Amino acid sequence: MGLIIQKFGGSSVADAERIRRVAGIITDTYKSGNDVVAVVSAQGDTTDDLIEKAHEINEKPSKREMDMLLSTGEQASAALLAMAIEDLGYPVTSLTAWQIGITSDSKYSNARIKQVADERLRRELDQHKIVICAGFQGVNKYDDITTLGRGGSDTTAVAIAAALRADICKIYTDVDGVYTADPRIAKNARKLNEITYDEMLELASLGAQVLCNRSVELAKKYRVNLEVCSSFKQIPGTVVKEDVKVEKMLITGVAKDNNVTRISVIGLEDVPGVAFKLFSLLGQNNINVDIILQSIGRHGTKDISFTVASDNTQIALDVLHESYPNNVITYDENVSKVSVVGSGMQSNAGVAAKMFEALYSVGVNIQMISTSEIKISVLIDRSDANKALEAIHDAFI
Ligand code: ADP
Ligand code: ASP
Ligand code: MG
């Protein structure tokens, strides 16, 4: 008996039958004597459909209006799920971020949660109601609706779990846990019973969308007990925690990120301060840069290539064209970043060589490389990404 937060992703609430199944999971948990707060995503591909709809009307809609539109997906599924629970005869209420008091900063489309008020939630729970919350949304200081970035319902669930000091936060999704690679791509991927917050954070940040990276950040900060499990099969999932009992593996997993664009600025002067000027310009425009590659200067010039998140491609190109009118600027959106992750690699030489050998064995060319103590990433052609992920996975795991 305790307080349980359950989060159901888009595919888990995609249609009426699935909503009824989720209502069954929630009411079973409630019947066993627990307080339950459930967080829901928009149904199926609703968020993508709404984005498409917006672009039919306006090619560059304001982010404020986009958030106003996208937040409706989660509000609709919260109400529908509450109706399914009503139909089963249980006391229930659905709430938006506004009603709960989930405040965020003002970065429309990618806002960060500042605080989750607990009064309304506790009041509903004190009246023995099941509470259904719309995920992915917040309210900023102007009383406007914001959204938390793609996959943001995970963050809503963990933030609510932290605010209410819940016993556990269970993320129900369409796979039965966290695997050593996306099980839809790597057929030999293995399910992990446990994973540390740090390794999960690294995997999520490098593209494993099974959990949104901010939700893992929050879970680590507030020590939220987190479990990823299936909404279709009743079997134990993957527990995300501070320390795992099992012997540390060299590699925890392999991740792929398609949300990346490579940009190159050609023919820059080969003198001190050039990189500083370029990356300051991008920083001032809030454009985060990931992998960087600078060519060796020849005949007084050099080239600098770097990657940005795909949604920053246009703004990056705009500011570069304005500040570097005399340079050739190229970009490639058909790239992916594939990474191996694992704290075990710190004390193990040869991980890079093994990864590159795996890529060579399937004929994949590497465009850029970046390394840190616990990961190695390569930038490759997007059409090669799935076979590269599988080859690297099978070489290590
Ligand atoms: P939801 O709609 O429930 O939030 P998501 O689509 O956001 O679900 O996340 C689940 C998906 O994450 C899975 O269907 C799987 O394809 C993908 N995925 C990527 N990497 C991994 C991984 N390492 N382990 C499990 N699933 C992964
Ligand atoms: N509906 C949002 C998305 O598709 C948020 C979420 O599902 O977590 O990104
Ligand atoms: Mg998700």
Side-chain angles (χ1 to χ4, degrees):
M1 271 191 260
L3 169 57
I4 301 183
I5 313 301
Q6 300 179 325
K7 179 259 168 178
F8 298 93
S11 50
S12 306
V13 292
D15 55 34
E17 188 199 327
R18 290 184 181 191
I19 287 183
R20 280 196 204 98
R21 179 201 297 269
V22 165
I25 296 175
I26 294 172
T27 52
D28 283 348
T29 313
Y30 178 83
K31 260 191 305 201
S32 315
N34 300 292
D35 286 331
V36 187
V37 176
V39 174
V40 276
S41 292
Q43 288 185 277
D45 296 328
T46 301
T47 307
D48 292 324
D49 295 344
L50 288 171
I51 292 172
E52 214 180 292
K53 239 184 198 161
H55 290 131
E56 279 169 17
I57 306 268
N58 179 341
E59 269 177 33
K60 281 192 176 168
S62 69
K63 289 190 167 178
R64 181 196 181 276
E65 297 309 329
M66 274 312 269
D67 282 4
M68 188 74 179
L69 178 69
L70 297 192
S71 63
T72 61
E74 271 67 14
Q75 182 167 341
S77 46
L80 291 169
L81 179 55
M83 290 173 196
I85 292 173
E86 270 176 1
D87 195 43
L88 295 174
Y90 291 87
V92 60
T93 195
S94 65
L95 298 171
T96 62
W98 172 273
Q99 290 168 304
I100 299 165
I102 301 180
T103 50
S104 78
D105 65 17
S106 292
K107 201 159 183 283
Y108 296 106
S109 84
N110 200 18
R112 271 181 192 271
I113 293 178
K114 285 187 153 175
Q115 211 184 354
V116 177
D118 66 352
E119 295 83 7
R120 178 73 191 262
L121 288 169
R122 290 212 188 275
R123 201 176 345 132
E124 301 293 347
L125 292 172
D126 286 346
Q127 292 170 14
H128 302 292
K129 285 195 192 154
I130 295 169
V131 186
I132 312 294
C133 304
F136 182 51
Q137 48 182 260
V139 180
N140 69 13
K141 63 180 175 192
Y142 307 112
D143 288 344
D144 281 340
I145 295 174
T146 57
T147 63
L148 308 178
R150 296 309 299 264
S153 299
D154 297 337
T155 315
T156 306
V158 174
I160 289 176
L164 295 178
R165 295 190 178 77
D167 296 290
I168 187 162
C169 179
K170 290 184 93 163
I171 307 288
Y172 288 83
T173 183
D174 57 1
V175 284
D176 56 11
V178 179
Y179 280 69
T180 47
D182 187 337
R184 296 186 195 289
I185 302 172
K187 57 182 177 309
N188 297 325
R190 260 189 20 224
K191 185 169 143 185
L192 300 164
N193 295 324
E194 300 180 329
I195 185 170
T196 65
Y197 291 123
D198 285 332
E199 286 171 332
M200 188 63 239
L201 186 57
E202 201 71 25
L203 275 180
S205 305
L206 290 168
Q209 95 258 26
V210 62
L211 278 177
C212 160
N213 58 350
R214 281 194 187 153
S215 72
V216 187
E217 238 168 56
L218 273 187
K220 177 178 162 70
K221 186 167 172 192
Y222 294 100
R223 292 286 184 272
V224 172
N225 285 321
L226 195 60
E227 183 179 344
V228 177
C229 56
S230 166
S231 55
F232 303 98
K233 285 190 253 171
Q234 277 198 331
I235 52 171
T238 301
V239 177
V240 190
K241 56 204 281 221
E242 187 60 32
D243 255 323
V244 302
K245 281 189 243 75
V246 290
E247 198 188 317
K248 280 259 157 55
M249 293 188 298
L250 174 60
I251 295 301
T252 316
V254 188
K256 176 187 82 163
D257 191 354
N258 283 341
N259 179 27
V260 45
T261 301
R262 180 186 55 72
I263 299 181
S264 301
V265 186
I266 313 291
L268 290 160
E269 220 186 332
D270 189 21
V271 293
V274 169
F276 164 60
K277 188 179 151 224
L278 175 64
F279 293 110
S280 305
L281 174 74
L282 296 166
Q284 281 153 18
N285 286 280
N286 283 321
I287 300 163
N288 282 332
V289 169
D290 184 18
I291 309 179
I292 299 174
L293 185 76
Q294 177 178 300
S295 68
I296 303 282
R298 266 202 201 126
H299 313 301
T301 68
K302 63 188 172 192
D303 308 333
I304 296 183
S305 301
F306 53 89
T307 61
V308 298
S310 301
D311 31 351
N312 279 330
T313 306
Q314 199 48 53
I315 163 99
L317 291 174
D318 288 349
V319 300
L320 288 170
H321 279 300
E322 196 183 316
S323 297
Y324 295 88
N326 301 320
N327 293 87
V328 172
I329 295 163
T330 63
Y331 71 100
D332 187 353
E333 294 184 291
N334 274 317
V335 289
S336 294
K337 185 172 73 171
V338 177
S339 312
V340 286
V341 177
S343 49
M345 73 171 79
Q346 284 177 71
S347 51
N348 222 295
V351 174
K354 196 166 177 176
M355 179 181 189
F356 302 155
E357 185 188 15
L359 290 166
Y360 167 64
S361 73
V362 286
V364 172
N365 192 35
I366 302 172
Q367 298 181 16
M368 288 169 121
I369 301 168
S370 94
T371 66
S372 80
E373 280 190 335
I374 62 163
K375 67 136 204 286
I376 302 173
S377 302
V378 292
L379 193 78
I380 57 174
D381 210 275
R382 190 165 299 173
S383 60
D384 287 334
N386 287 358
K387 76 172 172 191
L389 179 105
E390 201 163 13
I392 295 169
H393 177 272
D394 292 353
F396 284 102
I397 295 166

